[in-house]
Amino acid sequence: MDLKRVTGALHVDDADLSSSVFNNANLSSSSFNQIAFSGVTFNDSNMTGLFINDVNLSGSRIQNANLSGLAIADCNLAGATIDGVQVTDLLAAYRRQSGT
């Protein structure tokens, strides 16, 4: 199915859209609930103001991204790395140094 130059809100329920391609699409203010994004790739995308809640990002990779102002809270960081360094080790070193 091809949708081109569509404007207005699109409501999709109980759909299998696997292997779909979205190019030059504005999905601002959209909501994705109970979505399977396994194996999805986001390239050259503006995700400013993105809110991610109650998601499984295990095995995922963020590369060449602007993460300035990114806030991470109440997350399981076991095995997570930044530039090859375990995040839990970074946090432990920070807490030792700052005394918190």
Side-chain angles (χ1 to χ4, degrees):
M1 169 177 42
D2 288 335
L3 296 175
K4 295 182 181 182
R5 290 176 287 286
V6 174
T7 59
L10 177 66
H11 297 270
V12 179
D13 290 303
D14 298 320
D16 181 351
L17 298 176
S18 56
S19 300
S20 294
V21 176
F22 295 86
N23 289 311
N24 195 27
N26 181 352
L27 297 174
S28 297
S29 300
S30 294
S31 177
F32 297 91
N33 300 295
Q34 297 179 339
I35 303 295
F37 277 127
S38 298
V40 170
T41 301
F42 294 96
N43 291 306
D44 194 21
S45 299
N46 180 351
M47 296 186 180
T48 303
L50 179 68
F51 178 74
I52 300 173
N53 182 56
D54 194 22
V55 298
N56 182 350
L57 295 174
S58 61
S60 298
R61 181 181 177 124
I62 299 173
Q63 182 175 319
N64 193 28
N66 178 350
L67 301 178
S68 58
L70 175 70
I72 298 173
D74 301 321
C75 294
N76 178 352
L77 299 171
T81 62
I82 297 175
D83 291 335
V85 180
Q86 293 283 329
V87 172
T88 51
D89 293 345
L90 292 171
L91 291 171
Y94 170 79
R95 288 179 180 126
R96 279 192 306 273
Q97 183 179 6
S98 66
T100 59

